[in-house]
Amino acid sequence: MDPGTAVAVGTLSAKVLSILWKYYKDVKDAQHDIKLLANELEYSHDLMQKFGTMAKGTPRLPMAASLYTTIDQALLELKTLEKKLDPGVGAKAMRRLGKRALKWPFAKGEVEQWVTRFQRLKETASLALNIDQTSLVINTNTNVTQLQHAQEATEQDRQLAKLPTAVDAAFDSYHRQHETLCIENTRVDLLQQHRDWGATHPKPLYWLSGMAGTGKSTIARTLAQHFHSTHTLGGSFFFSRSSGEANNATKFVGTFARHLANVSPQFKRLISKAIASHADVTRQGLRNQWRELILAPLSAYRSSHRPTLNFVIDALDECGSDDEIRLILQLCIEVKTVKEVDLGVFVTSRPEIAIRLGFDAIPDIIYQRLDLRDVPRQVVEQDLAVLLRRKLGRISKQQKISGWPKDEDIQSLVRLSDCLFIYAATACRYIATSDWDPKERLSEVLTAGSATGGNTAGLDSMYLQVLISSLIHGRSEAEMVKLCDRFRQVVGTIVVLFDELSAPELAELLGMSRKAIELSYASLHSVLNIPQDVGSSIRLLHPSFRDFLLDDTRCSDRHLCVNASLKHEELAKYCLKSMSDGLKRNMGHLTTPGSTPEDVDCQILKTQLPKHLQYACQYWVDHLAGISTESEVKRELPNEKDILVFFRQDFLHWLEAMSLMAKMSQAVVLITRLEDLLDSASDDTTLRSIVEDARRFILNNRGIIEKAPLQTYASALVFSPSKSLVRQHYVDQLPDWLIRSPTVEDRWGNCVQILEHDNLEDGLDGIEERSELTAPLIIPFSTDGNYIASTLKNGKIILWEAATGAVHSTLDSYLPNIVTIKFLQNGIMASMYADGSVRLFDQVTGVLFRTLEAPVEDCQLATDAHWSERPISPMFILLNGDLLVLLQNGQVWIWNWRSNSWGERDLIGTPIRRVYGCLSNGLLVAAICGNDPDSLDLSLLDTNTSQIQTIEADKIPLTMGPVAISSLDIIAWENVYGALEVVDTNDMSRTELKAYDTYSVSTSTFSPDGSMLLSSYRSMALLSWNFSTQSMSAVDRTASKIRSIAFSPDSKQLATSMGRLVKLYRFPARDMSSLRDSRAGTPLVISMASNGKQIAASLSRLASMIQIYDTQNGGLTHELSGHSLMGFVVAFSPNNQQLALTSDNSTLLVWDLRTGALDWATSGDRNQIHLVSLIFSPGGRYLVSGNKEGEILVLDAKSGNVIHVFELADEILTVQFSSDGGRIACATHRQSIRADTRGRVIGAWDIITGELIHEVDSSAINGSSYFIPIQATISPSGRYLAYSSGDGSVVIYDIESKQQRDFSIVPSDTLTSLAFSRDSKSFATCTIEKEIKQWDSETARLIGVSPINALGKRLSFTENENFLEFENGHIPIYPIEGNLSIRPSRHLSHWWYDRDTSWFMENTRKMLWIPPAYRPEKYGYLVHHDGLFAFSNDKGIHYFKFNQGEEISDPNEHDGNQ
């Protein structure tokens, strides 16, 4: 960059400044924003001028490249700003017509963003330049350090920008700039008391409570301003029922974290570091956010003195959820754990019951409380008098009225206010209304205020007076009706909105002109906060005005009262229309189907999803729910036709929008709520059917749509059932680049949602291997049915929201090996650990508040080590809530909550082996040692009398799984494999339940209402026994064994755990008996023909059969049977007419694929040696096999005659031919299985003569790991032999010249594969680091690196030299003349499957996410050819065909309608 660029920046900034000052003259309501922006530009202008002057006299400034980039960026930013500000030709025409030409082009908040941009550019540039001429000394360390600090600050800002922040919730936000503070000489003692508390924090939590209108928020603002001025404000959050981002806790922690980061550079660094270290923390539960973003940075703060900070939370009662309120209070309690900072939390609220109960649960030592009702009335009235004199006195001065108001008028107003500051404030605003005589207005207030009634009578009278004066007084009947209609339309909308909107946003939503909107509330400044900035939201001055308008018993004038139901109906219609007009595909302009919401440019999102459209997306169902319907008369919701159109045209677009807004959990709740509404208020079966299908669609795909919005049109649509109504309506939206997709079910199954531990970002910290994940022994529902708990091996507990499947919180117990989890009735979750300790968590907040130590030292729990697949819980909840724990030695210990201690209960003289629970009469169901040492007695034990009643004697095996106990005192257990014995303990009647297969029961449970018994079998069947209908049905067949089952308390939901998945079902469920037995006939794909037209597969339980499938139509063409084929190896001939395979690891069979007949089979002594490798020569003349004893057999492919026998020292791993089939190279699997064996481990032979061309002794590769195979390959020309060496290099041996070169390119013990290119000029390596590297064979120069997330065990160059193939797909070949900065010259589309992430990748782009039901088996083969992929799992064989040709330029384009 030459100095001219800086000069250009200075010149352009001057031009933009001149434009800004024109706006300043014409646009009065934006002058504040214009001055802010102009000040920043003036500084940038001066800075660039100085830089340009200095650069001209300095040959080369000592600045890093980042400075030049910064100045270039400044030029681009200025050009963009100029373009946005330029009024254009139209403005000149407007001026000629005498009209105001300039309109401020920025919405609320945009100017602050521009100011922030220029501040960052300024900081980076000024620090690097250091302005001072002395800083131009080359290589000055100070300059470098300062530049580094600037770069760090920029990175910190980038991280902080990820925080979900409620901008308007701050006490000093632009939104709240006109809200008042306490007037001088009012609330004096009260404020001083609060200031004293904020300086010393005798108790860390302070609660100021009071009724509506008593001035709580004004006190909170005043206190926050005081803390701010004394540098002790850590952050503030002012809740508001009318604000969508401030009426809930979604952005609560993010807002405080952002505020805290502004307190000091150290906090900023700590918080930005926390965000960078926990990438997904902003999407986790509030408990995790608070821990990582608030508590951790506060605890890590270091200073020479302990700073004092305060958090201010106002109007907590306006937070929408009682659970969130309770959670916030629990989070506030945790500040007491912070020692490095003296932190206090100040909270104001109405004394609502949820908040009172929350504070009642907090020890008095932690919080201090003041109720404004306890402030003496005379003190409040004195403050009201001061306020009224000040405000009315100001009116008197402005209007030049002498001797007004009179003292008696002030006292009358004080009495009418009845200690409500909102009454006094509203009266003052009303009296101050322009164009009216203040004396007359005051007289009206005093006269109207004489009304009597309830607690709100005075306030109601005031509100009615304001409205009558503004809309009715002095108007004709026609004018009055028109004004009141418009009032109800606009102001009625404002009072029922679930989020605040500005005038332009309201106009867009309601389809009105902005002028009409503004006229409707122009005279209502006394009850509405009407900002000067048109981009700011219109707000109620106080929530009591909403209550007044919506209550016809308080608002007595029918012209003014707002019918909430009718207003919700109108708004539902407007929301549906806004979505129809505004939603479309790829609104975020994402570049790939796998792009995340974080990849969206904020400005693009604001343009494509403006505020009114976001509002419509979030609240259309809420408005439908606000409509009152008389279900006895009218079975129809209004707008049903519009709703049906929405689901047929915009449902997928809506899901994408909700993902972009990070509202997917809310989307689930909305559709579920709509379904409930339709069930109760609509007979339209068409609409109900599509909504039900939409609910299944969103539940099934919530997780992936949340992470990648455009997978709505890819994975979500591709894997939906063929008869899904959503799929049928949006079939034209399927991706064009997916030519063939797997066959899917025809309709939804009983499983409604799958929760994956693998997809969690948080909770996996410190887990290096996925094997560290585990499904819990028990996955219980909370007692209210809202949550499901699951565990990780590292001791973390995941709480899932049962309704949405979203992660509510991740609880860290800091102790691994969780044995079981139980939910107690009082909202407490108890987790037991292998050491016998029990930890108690609050299920909503996740706070660990107590630990119960193990009942004895060296505690050994009875967890049933005999059979880990069917574990037994050692802890149970007794009827009185006490906890019973069974030890391995048969001792029973009970935790008594009243005594807060463990007590041993000696129930009987013989040890108890297991306890399964208790009956409604308190009797324990247990297994005890009987007369037979090899079996147990199932018995009932009376804990008070120690009496025993035996149910089943000497017939219970030691390895028996769990016993199910119903709420009706019915017991079920496994009697013999496949049979359940059911005993009704009320009359001891028995029933045997026999399943239709012969596999043993894994686990069983009764539904809480006792109507069903659910049992899982080792055949992976999940069966339901209905006692009312005496019938059995299949709920599901799963891919792996079910370890545990849990019902929700209402018996409508079921959770099962298996592997790393939790599956959720809803009841009633349909019978799935027709589903395939996943163990009986699941084909296992093992090989694909070289032309991709055939695949070979085996059946997992019918190992005597190989199946050949036609990949074009998926049809079965041959079944090759008659031999035991367990553990086989398969090879197709080059012409794909023969298939060679091993039988029982010894016999070699060759089949004719044209006829399905057996060509030949080997026989003789070698049949006893296991064959482990198999390959045809390139021409198909030879068939070579290798066995575990190191023998390589060369056979005639037509006759099976043995031509040569070669030998190596160990099991044969690889056999490679040269392209002409004349030479062969082989390598052993490991250096040596037998420690005393040393010999040939790599060999190359002439296939015609059998001559050994070259060999490598084991001594040459001593460094090779026992677990990492030796790698060797021969070049296609047959000239070069390459192999891994023990000294950390790859050796290339020239067979012709007998010379070798050692390339120290990769540690040999990490090498998983080697391959030569067709011309032998380059070769490729793959390592356990899961990346493929391409090398120049002559120079060993690295020419390309491709990460593949796979071990790359089968690496080869394709015949057309376009790709490198490995087991999961293709990657491009780099040109030999290229370098690491050059991509492959042929921009061809290549596809591969990433097993770690379950994504199909095109080049480096994520394209299609594969859900669990369609993924390949964990250790199964994935075969592919020319964009066609095939693999199998319990559902069968799945085929995917991707567009294989030129690289896809825009993967989001498709031929369907947008």
Side-chain angles (χ1 to χ4, degrees):
M1 184 208 75
D2 61 50
T5 307
V7 175
V9 171
T11 302
L12 185 56
S13 59
K15 181 180 178 181
V16 173
L17 276 169
S18 66
I19 297 174
L20 280 173
W21 292 122
K22 292 177 183 178
Y23 276 98
Y24 188 80
K25 295 177 182 177
D26 282 6
V27 186
K28 301 299 183 183
D29 57 357
Q31 289 182 342
H32 174 73
D33 286 348
I34 295 170
K35 287 179 70 175
L36 282 177
L37 190 55
N39 288 338
E40 285 304 321
L41 286 179
E42 285 179 351
Y43 191 98
S44 298
H45 173 263
D46 295 343
L47 179 63
M48 291 302 113
Q49 280 194 326
K50 291 180 180 180
F51 175 75
T53 302
M54 294 167 60
K56 289 177 181 178
T58 307
R60 174 66 181 170
L61 285 171
M63 263 75 74
S66 60
L67 174 63
Y68 299 100
T69 302
T70 299
I71 297 174
D72 289 338
Q73 182 66 29
L75 186 59
L76 291 174
E77 297 280 16
L78 281 168
K79 288 179 179 178
T80 304
L81 182 60
E82 180 195 22
K83 186 176 180 180
K84 188 151 181 113
L85 287 169
D86 188 1
V89 179
K92 297 178 181 177
M94 294 285 284
R95 286 196 190 94
R96 285 197 296 270
L97 294 174
K99 299 178 180 179
R100 177 172 291 180
L102 294 179
K103 176 184 176 182
W104 187 236
F106 296 114
K108 181 188 68 172
E110 283 189 87
V111 169
E112 294 179 6
Q113 294 178 6
W114 277 101
V115 168
T116 301
R117 291 184 194 178
F118 284 110
Q119 284 177 342
R120 291 175 183 170
L121 292 169
K122 174 187 68 179
E123 290 169 2
T124 304
S126 61
L127 281 173
L129 182 61
N130 203 16
I131 301 304
D132 187 356
Q133 298 271 355
T134 60
S135 69
L136 295 177
V137 178
I138 305 298
N139 297 325
T140 303
N141 289 334
T142 303
N143 278 352
V144 174
T145 301
Q146 289 178 332
L147 183 57
Q148 289 175 342
H149 289 167
Q151 292 170 334
E152 289 173 2
T154 301
E155 173 60 18
Q156 290 170 5
D157 288 338
R158 190 180 73 83
Q159 294 296 339
L160 291 173
K162 299 177 182 178
L163 290 171
T165 306
V167 177
D168 294 339
F171 90 95
D172 58 351
S173 68
Y174 181 83
H175 181 80
R176 298 178 180 276
Q177 61 182 319
H178 299 299
E179 294 180 351
T180 60
L181 304 178
C182 291
I183 290 177
E184 186 178 0
N185 296 325
T186 64
R187 303 291 201 183
V188 176
D189 294 338
L190 197 64
L191 288 174
Q192 188 58 50
Q193 178 182 339
H194 295 153
R195 289 168 185 152
D196 292 344
W197 169 86
T200 59
H201 300 142
K203 297 180 181 181
L205 187 57
Y206 195 111
W207 179 28
L208 178 68
S209 65
M211 303 303 292
T214 52
K216 302 181 298 297
S217 294
T218 304
I219 294 171
R221 277 192 300 276
T222 305
L223 196 59
Q225 178 61 49
H226 167 74
F227 292 150
H228 179 72
S229 63
T230 58
H231 307 290
T232 59
L233 181 66
S236 61
F237 198 101
F238 279 51
F239 283 99
S240 172
R241 188 178 292 112
S242 59
S243 170
E245 64 178 10
N247 64 8
N248 59 80
T250 304
K251 299 181 178 181
F252 177 80
V253 178
T255 302
F256 271 114
R258 191 62 183 261
H259 293 174
L260 189 60
N262 294 330
V263 170
S264 76
Q266 187 178 166
F267 278 130
K268 183 177 182 180
R269 177 177 56 80
L270 291 170
I271 294 171
S272 60
K273 182 180 179 181
I275 300 169
S277 301
H278 304 85
D280 204 37
V281 68
T282 57
R283 290 193 292 183
Q284 294 170 8
L286 294 183
R287 177 71 187 82
N288 298 340
Q289 291 185 35
W290 186 261
R291 180 185 63 208
E292 300 295 346
L293 301 177
I294 303 296
L295 297 183
L298 286 169
S299 299
Y301 186 83
R302 295 294 180 267
S303 176
S304 58
H305 67 284
R306 186 175 183 234
T308 298
L309 289 178
N310 294 279
F311 286 168
V312 178
I313 303 171
D314 179 56
L316 181 59
D317 54 284
E318 297 195 31
C319 180
S321 163
D322 287 350
D323 279 349
E324 288 185 342
I325 290 172
R326 182 181 171 194
L327 173 57
I328 288 172
L329 291 178
Q330 290 292 334
L331 298 180
C332 292
I333 294 173
E334 293 187 25
V335 303
K336 66 183 178 61
T337 64
V338 178
K339 306 302 181 185
E340 291 73 13
V341 176
D342 180 15
L343 179 63
V345 182
F346 184 84
V347 180
T348 75
S349 77
R350 299 184 192 184
E352 305 289 2
I353 186 168
I355 300 177
R356 294 202 313 271
L357 291 175
F359 274 104
D360 287 345
I362 301 174
D364 291 341
I365 195 172
I366 293 177
Y367 85 98
Q368 185 174 338
R369 178 185 179 183
L370 175 64
D371 192 328
L372 289 176
R373 290 174 294 185
D374 296 335
V375 177
R377 186 180 185 91
Q378 63 268 26
V379 173
V380 178
E381 289 182 344
Q382 288 173 6
D383 289 342
L384 280 168
V386 172
L387 181 148
L388 289 168
R389 286 192 183 93
R390 179 73 58 85
K391 287 185 175 292
L392 295 182
R394 186 181 299 128
I395 296 171
S396 172
K397 186 175 181 181
Q398 291 172 346
Q399 300 285 340
K400 298 180 180 179
I401 305 173
S402 61
W404 181 88
K406 298 179 181 177
D407 283 344
E408 54 265 31
D409 292 338
I410 295 291
Q411 293 305 317
S412 296
L413 273 177
V414 168
R415 287 193 298 273
L416 289 173
S417 297
D418 195 23
C419 293
L420 293 179
F421 281 82
I422 184 58
Y423 181 99
T426 303
C428 290
R429 292 190 192 94
Y430 176 70
I431 294 167
T433 304
S434 59
D435 302 327
W436 288 90
D437 183 353
K439 290 183 177 181
E440 292 182 10
R441 282 291 172 106
L442 176 58
S443 178
E444 291 174 5
V445 170
L446 294 176
T447 302
S450 60
T452 59
N455 293 334
T456 63
L459 189 60
D460 295 347
S461 175
M462 169 60 65
Y463 283 144
L464 193 61
Q465 179 64 34
V466 168
L467 296 180
I468 290 174
S469 175
S470 301
L471 303 172
I472 297 176
H473 185 68
R475 314 280 186 184
S476 67
E477 179 71 17
E479 288 177 330
M480 183 268 293
V481 170
K482 184 176 181 180
L483 287 174
C484 289
D485 286 347
R486 191 170 61 187
F487 166 81
R488 289 196 305 274
Q489 183 178 12
V490 177
V491 179
T493 294
I494 293 172
V495 299
V496 300
L497 285 176
F498 296 102
D499 194 3
E500 298 165 352
L501 296 175
S502 65
E505 291 160 355
L506 265 177
E508 290 287 345
L509 181 65
L510 301 181
M512 299 175 62
S513 69
R514 175 179 145 191
K515 188 66 176 177
I517 296 288
E518 292 172 343
L519 287 174
S520 65
Y521 55 67
S523 59
L524 299 175
H525 285 263
S526 53
V527 289
L528 296 178
N529 186 342
I530 303 169
Q532 292 183 349
D533 178 9
V534 295
S536 295
S537 301
I538 305 160
R539 303 170 57 233
L540 305 181
L541 281 171
H542 199 270
S544 57
F545 184 56
R546 175 191 297 105
D547 302 334
F548 165 76
L549 281 182
L550 297 181
D551 188 343
D552 57 6
T553 65
R554 295 177 59 184
C555 181
S556 56
D557 193 311
R558 63 181 180 82
H559 296 97
L560 302 173
C561 189
V562 176
N563 185 313
S565 179
L566 291 178
K567 187 55 59 180
H568 282 301
E569 182 177 343
E570 291 175 10
L571 282 169
K573 178 185 68 174
Y574 290 133
C575 287
L576 287 166
K577 186 178 187 306
S578 294
M579 291 190 292
S580 177
D581 294 341
L583 294 178
K584 61 182 180 180
R585 180 167 173 158
N586 198 8
M587 288 168 286
H589 295 182
L590 294 169
T591 56
T592 73
S595 297
T596 67
E598 288 76 16
D599 297 327
V600 179
D601 181 89
C602 294
Q603 195 58 43
I604 290 176
L605 190 61
K606 285 185 177 180
T607 302
Q608 297 295 315
L609 271 173
K611 180 67 180 293
H612 79 279
L613 183 54
Q614 291 189 37
Y615 180 91
C617 289
Q618 293 182 68
Y619 299 110
W620 64 281
V621 176
D622 294 320
H623 285 301
L624 286 173
I627 302 172
S628 297
T629 57
E630 298 178 23
S631 57
E632 297 83 0
V633 179
K634 183 181 179 183
R635 291 285 297 171
E636 180 182 355
L637 272 179
N639 310 309
E640 284 194 0
K641 291 182 179 178
D642 294 334
I643 298 171
L644 191 59
V645 170
F646 164 79
F647 278 102
R648 289 174 173 172
Q649 295 182 2
D650 291 303
F651 175 60
L652 295 193
H653 303 151
W654 175 72
L655 289 180
E656 179 196 335
M658 294 297 279
S659 174
L660 292 173
M661 293 185 289
K663 301 289 184 181
M664 278 305 296
S665 291
Q666 183 181 348
V668 176
V669 172
L670 291 178
I671 296 301
T672 303
R673 189 177 189 188
L674 177 61
E675 187 178 27
D676 293 340
L677 284 174
L678 293 173
D679 286 343
S680 61
S682 176
D683 288 326
D684 189 333
T685 56
T686 301
L687 180 57
R688 291 171 68 180
S689 296
I690 196 170
V691 172
E692 179 185 0
D693 191 76
R695 179 181 62 82
R696 295 301 305 271
F697 184 91
I698 190 173
L699 280 173
N700 203 59
N701 299 289
R702 181 202 61 81
I704 186 56
I705 296 176
E706 184 173 59
K707 291 178 179 294
L710 295 184
Q711 286 300 297
T712 307
Y713 314 98
S715 178
L717 212 51
V718 166
F719 296 103
S720 293
S722 58
K723 293 183 180 179
S724 160
L725 296 176
V726 172
R727 182 188 179 110
Q728 291 175 354
H729 285 305
Y730 294 94
V731 67
D732 64 328
Q733 299 281 317
L734 286 165
D736 295 335
W737 38 263
L738 182 61
I739 300 171
R740 181 180 179 184
S741 58
T743 302
V744 295
E745 303 288 348
D746 61 345
R747 53 182 177 160
W748 298 105
N750 290 320
C751 176
V752 296
Q753 197 169 15
I754 298 177
L755 313 179
E756 290 192 82
H757 285 143
D758 284 19
N759 285 340
L760 298 177
E761 296 290 344
D762 185 68
L764 304 187
D765 300 335
I767 300 181
E768 297 180 359
E769 299 293 335
R770 293 287 175 168
S771 61
E772 286 297 305
L773 293 164
T774 181
L777 302 181
I778 295 178
I779 44 166
F781 279 85
S782 59
T783 54
D784 57 11
N786 290 335
Y787 307 107
I788 305 166
S790 64
T791 63
L792 304 177
K793 274 190 178 178
N794 61 359
K796 292 190 177 181
I797 302 170
I798 312 299
L799 276 185
W800 311 81
E801 293 177 0
T804 67
V807 174
H808 173 71
S809 58
T810 302
L811 316 182
D812 200 337
S813 61
Y814 304 101
L815 190 65
N817 300 322
I818 299 174
V819 175
T820 190
I821 299 174
K822 300 287 184 181
F823 283 95
L824 310 183
Q825 286 294 335
N826 54 0
I828 294 174
M829 184 183 68
S831 60
M832 171 163 263
Y833 300 83
D835 66 355
S837 64
V838 178
R839 298 194 173 192
L840 305 178
F841 297 86
D842 185 293
Q843 70 184 39
V844 175
T845 66
V847 174
L848 170 64
F849 63 89
R850 189 171 185 182
T851 298
L852 311 181
E853 298 300 330
V856 296
E857 293 184 5
D858 300 324
C859 185
Q860 298 293 319
L861 300 173
T863 55
D864 193 12
H866 292 283
W867 201 338
S868 61
E869 292 180 359
R870 303 194 293 181
I872 304 298
S873 172
M875 180 174 71
F876 299 90
I877 304 171
L878 300 178
L879 293 181
N880 63 358
D882 290 347
L883 301 179
L884 181 148
V885 173
L886 177 65
L887 305 189
Q888 191 70 47
N889 61 7
Q891 290 180 348
V892 172
W893 289 80
I894 294 178
W895 175 268
N896 185 289
W897 294 106
R898 293 183 298 277
S899 65
N900 280 321
S901 63
W902 290 105
E904 184 179 4
R905 187 69 59 89
D906 186 11
L907 298 178
I908 53 176
T910 183
I912 301 174
R913 291 298 299 271
R914 300 184 187 90
V915 173
Y916 300 105
C918 60
L919 303 179
S920 60
N921 57 11
L923 296 181
L924 289 184
V925 181
I928 65 175
C929 296
N931 297 324
D932 187 345
D934 296 325
S935 64
L936 301 172
D937 293 347
L938 186 62
S939 306
L940 300 181
L941 307 180
D942 190 319
T943 58
N944 296 316
T945 66
S946 296
Q947 289 184 343
I948 307 171
Q949 181 180 359
T950 302
I951 298 176
E952 189 78 357
D954 296 335
K955 291 184 180 180
I956 307 300
L958 293 175
T959 57
M960 185 186 73
V963 170
I965 306 171
S966 84
S967 58
L968 304 177
D969 293 341
I970 298 174
I971 302 173
W973 72 94
E974 181 186 10
N975 191 349
V976 294
Y977 281 170
L980 286 168
E981 191 81 13
V982 180
V983 173
D984 187 335
T985 62
N986 297 294
D987 57 11
M988 290 300 169
S989 59
R990 291 174 178 254
T991 305
E992 185 178 84
L993 304 178
K994 178 67 176 175
Y996 46 64
D997 59 30
T998 58
Y999 297 99
S1000 62
V1001 178
S1002 294
T1003 185
S1004 297
T1005 191
F1006 281 96
S1007 60
D1009 61 11
S1011 64
M1012 288 182 293
L1013 174 64
L1014 266 290
S1015 298
S1016 65
Y1017 290 76
R1018 298 190 70 202
S1019 61
M1020 277 79 88
L1022 180 62
L1023 305 183
S1024 170
W1025 310 86
N1026 190 310
F1027 293 108
S1028 61
T1029 62
Q1030 297 297 309
S1031 62
M1032 181 197 75
S1033 62
V1035 177
D1036 198 4
R1037 284 197 181 273
T1038 60
S1040 56
K1041 295 181 183 66
I1042 295 174
R1043 292 179 58 111
S1044 59
I1045 306 174
F1047 264 104
S1048 61
D1050 62 2
S1051 300
K1052 292 182 179 180
Q1053 233 179 335
L1054 178 79
T1056 64
S1057 70
M1058 64 202 72
R1060 296 191 293 268
L1061 304 177
V1062 175
K1063 299 181 73 172
L1064 302 183
Y1065 303 81
R1066 289 191 69 86
F1067 285 85
R1070 63 186 178 92
D1071 188 8
M1072 306 289 286
S1073 298
S1074 60
L1075 289 178
R1076 180 207 314 267
D1077 183 339
S1078 57
R1079 289 169 58 93
T1082 301
L1084 176 64
V1085 173
I1086 53 174
S1087 184
M1088 177 180 279
S1090 60
N1091 60 7
K1093 294 182 178 181
Q1094 292 175 298
I1095 58 173
S1098 73
L1099 296 182
S1100 57
R1101 284 183 60 201
L1102 301 177
S1104 61
M1105 181 182 293
I1106 292 290
Q1107 295 178 325
I1108 306 299
Y1109 290 88
D1110 184 329
T1111 61
Q1112 304 303 308
N1113 56 32
L1116 178 65
T1117 59
H1118 297 296
E1119 289 187 336
L1120 314 179
S1121 60
H1123 296 265
S1124 177
L1125 304 175
M1126 188 66 72
F1128 52 80
V1129 182
V1130 170
F1132 281 92
S1133 64
N1135 62 7
N1136 301 306
Q1137 294 179 2
Q1138 285 180 298
L1139 179 74
L1141 54 94
T1142 62
S1143 172
D1144 201 18
N1145 283 327
S1146 56
T1147 303
L1148 180 58
L1149 307 167
V1150 176
W1151 300 82
D1152 188 326
L1153 294 180
R1154 293 167 295 183
T1155 65
L1158 179 64
D1159 274 354
W1160 54 265
T1162 60
S1163 60
D1165 294 339
R1166 288 195 176 90
N1167 287 357
Q1168 305 307 314
I1169 302 176
H1170 290 183
L1171 303 177
V1172 292
S1173 59
L1174 206 57
I1175 187 174
F1176 280 92
S1177 62
R1181 179 179 176 182
Y1182 304 109
L1183 177 62
V1184 178
S1185 67
N1187 62 36
K1188 283 195 173 184
E1189 296 302 316
E1191 287 186 335
I1192 303 106
L1193 275 66
V1194 181
L1195 304 100
D1196 185 291
K1198 290 184 178 180
S1199 65
N1201 294 331
V1202 177
I1203 299 174
H1204 299 296
V1205 178
F1206 306 136
E1207 291 187 355
L1208 292 178
D1210 202 351
E1211 174 184 339
I1212 304 302
L1213 169 69
T1214 58
V1215 180
Q1216 295 285 336
F1217 274 97
S1218 59
S1219 58
D1220 62 1
R1223 288 177 175 174
I1224 188 173
C1226 307
T1228 58
H1229 188 272
R1230 293 179 278 269
Q1231 175 193 335
S1232 177
I1233 294 177
R1234 303 179 300 279
D1236 60 342
T1237 300
R1238 301 185 67 82
R1240 182 189 305 143
V1241 292
I1242 298 173
W1245 290 268
D1246 187 303
I1247 200 70
I1248 304 298
T1249 66
E1251 175 189 358
L1252 177 64
I1253 302 172
H1254 185 67
E1255 66 176 331
V1256 179
D1257 188 86
S1258 60
S1259 61
I1261 49 175
N1262 283 334
S1264 181
S1265 167
Y1266 178 85
F1267 298 102
I1268 302 298
I1270 297 169
Q1271 300 300 326
T1273 188
I1274 193 166
S1275 65
S1277 65
R1279 178 173 178 176
Y1280 300 107
L1281 176 68
Y1283 58 90
S1284 55
S1285 172
D1287 61 0
S1289 65
V1290 169
V1291 175
I1292 295 183
Y1293 178 77
D1294 189 326
I1295 295 174
E1296 302 300 329
S1297 67
K1298 295 184 171 45
Q1299 301 294 316
Q1300 75 176 40
R1301 286 168 291 158
D1302 293 359
F1303 294 154
S1304 297
I1305 55 178
V1306 61
S1308 63
D1309 61 353
T1310 67
L1311 201 65
T1312 60
S1313 190
L1314 277 170
F1316 274 103
S1317 63
R1318 297 287 168 171
D1319 59 8
S1320 303
K1321 291 183 178 180
S1322 65
F1323 67 97
T1325 60
C1326 192
T1327 67
I1328 61 174
E1329 281 77 21
K1330 298 183 178 181
E1331 60 183 14
I1332 293 176
K1333 296 182 178 180
Q1334 297 173 49
W1335 309 86
D1336 186 322
S1337 297
E1338 293 293 329
T1339 64
R1341 180 173 57 89
L1342 181 64
I1343 58 176
V1345 180
S1346 301
I1348 59 170
N1349 266 353
L1351 292 177
K1353 293 179 180 179
R1354 302 193 298 274
L1355 196 59
S1356 65
F1357 286 74
T1358 58
E1359 291 186 11
N1360 58 14
E1361 297 268 316
N1362 286 333
F1363 301 107
L1364 262 169
E1365 287 189 325
F1366 66 106
E1367 65 263 32
N1368 289 348
H1370 304 76
I1371 62 168
I1373 293 177
Y1374 288 76
I1376 192 70
E1377 67 276 7
N1379 56 59
L1380 287 176
S1381 64
I1382 299 176
R1383 296 298 299 165
S1385 57
R1386 299 182 182 88
H1387 294 291
L1388 298 175
S1389 180
H1390 64 276
W1391 297 83
W1392 57 283
Y1393 179 67
D1394 188 337
R1395 284 180 181 262
D1396 282 357
T1397 63
S1398 303
W1399 281 91
F1400 268 111
M1401 311 287 292
E1402 192 262 347
N1403 300 341
T1404 58
R1405 300 184 288 192
K1406 293 179 176 178
M1407 300 294 284
L1408 182 67
W1409 182 78
I1410 309 301
Y1414 291 91
R1415 290 173 193 164
E1417 296 283 0
K1418 183 176 181 181
Y1419 299 109
Y1421 286 96
L1422 181 149
V1423 295
H1424 58 88
H1425 173 78
D1426 196 28
L1428 174 67
F1429 291 78
F1431 54 77
S1432 57
N1433 60 16
D1434 64 296
K1435 287 183 176 292
I1437 299 175
H1438 305 298
Y1439 298 94
F1440 297 83
K1441 175 69 175 176
F1442 298 96
N1443 180 51
Q1444 189 84 346
E1446 290 298 316
E1447 187 175 58
I1448 300 172
S1449 57
D1450 185 355
N1452 295 315
E1453 286 186 352
H1454 72 296
D1455 295 331
N1457 296 323
Q1458 296 291 320

